[in-house]
């Protein structure tokens, strides 16, 4: 199991950007390569491209790497059970302040209602979490209900790479280095098929590319009486804001 990604996105450059709602912010490599991060879009309301993603969701939704929470907040406004997961205290705080539900934790740590989520989201580059696509895709199969849906955003290019990156701001401040991955659609499908995923849709909008994958029903099939939505007694995370929770803490109902 990959180590929890604490101390990466939670470091100061990212936290400052999330709190202010603006960049510039970058993923940077040691060779000078920079990838601009779309902080302003992440901190805004869900746009038309996001809404098309949410329209395809089924049952309860787990947003992995939820960031400032625009998708979780939009789902909550629609009455859809949704939980954001992020290692950044600033991102979780912003999400719950806006009315969403979120937990500060690595996706590889224990999470509420494992094996019962209807949909998992990996957007805004979060397919790269941990720098090990196979480990992440395997973990998502554990979190989803049998036959559950994964919607992943891919790089709009034919790319399959592992990189060591930092989060860097315009002032030159940066986080500690951490592993990341970048995958185009073809690369994602190559990794996903041997792990029990099948592609059910692909689309592009607003310069962004997406793939919908469904996990094969290798576990006990869902009965007609069961639901992909998580039980509200355990999956709902309080919308009361907590002050700077610890690295593996949840903001939970009391």
């Amino acid at each position: 199991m990959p180590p929890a990604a604490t101390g990466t996105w939670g470091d100061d450059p990212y936290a400052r950007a999330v709190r202010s709602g603006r960049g510039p912010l970058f993923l940077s490599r040691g060779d000078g390569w920079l990838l601009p991060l779309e902080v302003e879009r992440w901190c805004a309301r869900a746009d038309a491209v996001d809404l098309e993603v949410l329209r395809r969701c089924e049952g309860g939704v787990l947003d992995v790497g939820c960031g400032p929470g625009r998708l979780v907040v939009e789902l909550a406004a629609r009455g859809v059970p949704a939980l954001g997961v992020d290692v950044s205290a600033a991102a979780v705080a912003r999400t719950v302040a806006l009315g969403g539900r979120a937990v500060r934790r690595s996706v590889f740590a224990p999470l509420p209602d494992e094996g019962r989520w209807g949909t998992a989201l990996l957007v805004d580059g979060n397919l790269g979490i941990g720098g090990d696509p196979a480990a992440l895709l395997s973990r998502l199969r554990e979190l989803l209900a049998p036959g559950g849906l994964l919607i992943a955003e891919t790089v709009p290019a034919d790319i399959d790479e592992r990189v060591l990156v930092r989060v860097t701001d315009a002032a030159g401040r940066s986080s500690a280095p951490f592993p990341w991955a970048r995958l185009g659609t073809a690369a994602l499908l190559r990794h996903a098929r041997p792990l029990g995923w099948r592609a059910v849709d692909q689309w592009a909008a607003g310069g962004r590319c997406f793939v919908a994958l469904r996990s094969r029903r290798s576990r006990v099939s869902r009965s007609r009486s069961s639901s992909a939505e998580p039980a509200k007694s355990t999956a709902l995370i309080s919308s009361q804001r907590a002050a700077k929770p610890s690295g593996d803490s949840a903001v939970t109902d009391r």
Side-chain angles (χ1 to χ4, degrees), residues 138-169:
S138 296
R139 175 61 175 146
L140 290 173
R141 284 203 73 204
E142 297 173 351
L143 295 171
L144 286 168
L149 188 68
L150 167 62
I151 299 178
E153 183 172 354
T154 58
V155 176
D158 186 9
I159 191 168
D160 185 355
E161 68 176 13
R162 314 292 174 272
V163 290
L164 193 65
V165 296
R166 299 173 185 263
V167 178
T168 305
D169 64 17

Side-chain angles (χ1 to χ4, degrees), residues 58-75:
E58 304 169 357
V61 179
L62 187 68
D63 185 3
V64 178
C66 67
R70 73 187 189 283
L71 302 183
V72 175
V73 171
E74 180 64 30
L75 288 166

